[in-house]
Amino acid sequence: MRIGIVQTSPVFGNKAANRKEIEELTAEVRADLWVMPELALTGYEYLDREEARTLSEEVPGGETCQWLIQFCAERNCHAVIGLAERSHMHVFNAAVLTGPEGVVGQYRKLHLFDHEKKVFDPGNIPFTVFPVGSARVGLMICFDWRFPEAARTLALRGAQIIAHPSNLVMPYCQHAMVTRSLENAVFCVTANRVGTERRAGRCLTFTGHSQIVSSKGTVLADAPGNEHGVAVVEIDPSAADNKRVTMWNDLVGDRRADFYEKN
């Protein structure tokens, strides 16, 4: 299975230009699963909740979902993208997984970061694993990395690959996702953005270094810290089904859940 990451610097609010760049970056490259950044078509730093609502869309009927389905149909692939989702009176920082036939699954960010708490509603969809061909893919978004329970829950629910759309501004995440891979013996695919946004009286600089990490914690692809581009690697998702560390140790079988804190 060929996994691809897309790394861009979105023009705030210009969905058409941002779609075009992704199409151009991926035009000559084949992947079975593309992972794109958090809020990839709108930019990140909303002035307020009303601006987020204005740029948000419904799932699956919104323009981003419809574009991504067409993107997948033209390339015979699946793709994950982050977007602002509108659902009745709620606005969520969300991600969708689509294929040529439509939306396969969605996720709403459970762990909101910093200013996001003023803009978005907290997620209300459990961590779920979705089929992509013969592989099993789970979704988490950006700051979820800081909570080991996120990746662990997806792994326990059978994920072989964790797709991780991100807009990272803090250090350490890329290193932490290597640890998440080692803890759970899963592939972790972090699609981050680059560039700077100056809005809402703040200046945010995004860290790039999108990466694909193997189920053994090896970094298979590492994008530059400040460049737009894509990277693709071939993996065997079934490698994530082997949770053995030694002949005596199994990452799932050796868990002592009866001794772990429940709350």
Side-chain angles (χ1 to χ4, degrees), residues 45-117:
E45 187 69 342
Y46 297 105
L47 294 176
D48 51 34
R49 183 179 176 88
E50 185 54 36
E51 184 175 61
R53 184 169 182 82
T54 299
L55 289 169
S56 65
E57 307 172 22
E58 294 182 350
V59 174
E63 61 178 301
T64 294
C65 286
Q66 296 308 304
W67 167 74
L68 200 61
I69 293 165
Q70 183 64 30
F71 176 97
C72 292
E74 291 173 353
R75 292 162 175 77
N76 189 30
C77 69
H78 285 73
V80 175
I81 196 170
L83 76 163
E85 180 198 355
R86 182 173 64 254
S87 178
H88 304 293
M89 297 303 295
H90 298 287
V91 182
F92 298 102
N93 185 338
V96 293
L97 165 63
T98 72
E101 305 299 324
V103 172
V104 176
Q106 70 181 106
Y107 166 68
R108 294 166 175 165
K109 190 174 183 178
L110 290 180
H111 304 103
L112 297 177
F113 176 69
D114 196 44
H115 187 67
E116 293 175 30
K117 290 194 172 187

Side-chain angles (χ1 to χ4, degrees), residues 3 50 75 124 134 152 158 198 203 213 247 249 252 259:
I3 305 290
E50 185 54 36
R75 292 162 175 77
N124 57 5
S134 60
R152 175 53 56 92
R198 293 179 175 86
C203 178
V213 184
M247 66 178 293
N249 297 109
V252 175
F259 286 92

